[in-house]
Amino acid sequence: ALTIGAALILATIVGGIFYATKSTTGKDILTVTGSSRTEVTADSVLWRTAITRNVGYAGLKAGYTQMATDLTEVKNFLKANNIPDEAITAQPIMMNEDWSNNGPVAQESKRYTLTQSIEIKSADVNGVTALAQKSGDLINKGVLFQSQGLEYYYTKLAELRVSMLGDAVKDAKERAQQMAKAGGQRVGSLQSASSGVVQVLSRGSVEVSDYGSYDTSKIEKDVMVTVRATFGVK
């Protein structure tokens, strides 16, 4: 029921679930949208984090030194929780001046925010998810650590899509047979088929898009593919 319901919604977006017409050869044809939907579990996680320091102009040098110490603390925390070095990517430190609304500020009175983004990418989805809940341990050590969110991905999407297309064509043919039967006709051979966009949805969702969608907020996902198939009828 979910498969049919989702397919109906997507078909409405692309302009209708089926239509009958004549081909350039004058033969009757029937064009139908079919779909296939399957459940998957994310096998990769991206954890976006950052460390920050707010310093004055005179404390910039010390601020950069403290950032290096903070990064070491973060890496030690990650390693202690089974995250290897190759899973950690630290971006260069960015420095932004904190602008005052009270007019010009003397150089020695200016303040700056130092920010370093750190990304953790791992196949241990459950482990990293649990680790994100423990990031308060770094705060307790004086590190201004920000957890900016977890993104969940399914890395075998390309292979899965290929395997699902056959089921989508089969679904389209079943739909075509129902429509043709209602009109006293029979479905012939497949004339052409084109695949639609891939929808990666949170489990049970029907919020599809004609541009495709990829939900990264949930571990459990549904993948849906569609095909637009044309059959001869007689």
Side-chain angles (χ1 to χ4, degrees):
L2 272 176
T3 300
I4 295 173
L8 284 169
I9 294 172
L10 183 62
T12 301
I13 293 174
V14 300
I17 193 165
F18 72 94
Y19 64 88
T21 184
K22 289 184 180 293
S23 67
T24 55
T25 61
K27 295 181 179 180
D28 290 335
I29 58 174
L30 186 63
T31 299
V32 183
T33 298
S35 69
S36 176
R37 185 167 181 145
T38 190
E39 298 178 350
V40 299
T41 299
D43 57 8
S44 178
V45 59
L46 176 63
W47 185 18
R48 299 185 188 275
T49 70
I51 52 177
T52 62
R53 286 283 168 180
N54 187 268
V55 297
Y57 175 75
L60 276 173
K61 183 178 179 180
Y64 273 86
T65 300
Q66 185 60 59
M67 289 287 285
T69 301
D70 291 346
L71 179 59
T72 299
E73 286 284 0
V74 171
K75 287 185 174 181
N76 288 339
F77 167 76
L78 295 172
K79 289 177 186 177
N81 288 276
N82 303 313
I83 304 296
D85 280 338
E86 56 268 24
I88 306 168
T89 302
Q91 301 296 332
I93 296 173
M94 296 184 64
M95 180 180 72
N96 291 306
E97 182 177 343
D98 297 338
W99 295 97
S100 171
N101 294 322
N102 299 320
V105 177
Q107 183 68 48
E108 60 273 13
S109 300
K110 290 182 178 179
R111 298 196 63 80
Y112 301 85
T113 298
L114 306 178
T115 304
Q116 186 167 28
S117 298
I118 306 166
E119 294 182 351
I120 299 93
K121 188 173 184 180
S122 174
D124 186 4
V125 174
N126 293 326
V128 172
T129 299
L131 182 57
Q133 305 302 318
K134 297 171 57 180
S135 58
D137 293 352
L138 287 166
I139 301 295
N140 294 335
K141 292 182 178 181
V143 179
L144 300 180
F145 181 82
Q146 302 173 5
S147 179
Q148 298 175 339
L150 295 159
E151 299 175 10
Y152 300 103
Y153 296 90
Y154 182 68
T155 62
K156 302 180 181 65
L157 187 59
E159 298 94 322
L160 179 63
R161 176 179 176 274
V162 172
S163 67
M164 292 177 66
L165 286 174
D167 291 334
V169 171
K170 185 184 299 184
D171 179 60
K173 186 172 184 179
E174 291 174 355
R175 292 174 182 274
Q177 288 172 336
Q178 293 174 6
M179 302 305 170
K181 183 178 179 180
Q185 295 179 302
R186 291 184 295 110
V187 171
S189 61
L190 177 67
Q191 303 295 307
S192 65
S194 60
S195 62
V197 294
V198 179
Q199 312 283 341
V200 182
L201 313 167
S202 58
R203 184 66 52 82
S205 173
V206 295
E207 295 183 5
V208 297
S209 167
D210 53 348
Y211 296 104
S213 59
Y214 201 125
D215 176 80
T216 61
S217 65
K218 302 292 190 301
I219 296 177
E220 302 300 329
K221 306 177 185 297
D222 285 348
V223 177
M224 187 174 77
V225 299
T226 60
V227 294
R228 187 179 179 86
T230 298
F231 298 90
V233 290
K234 51 188 177 180

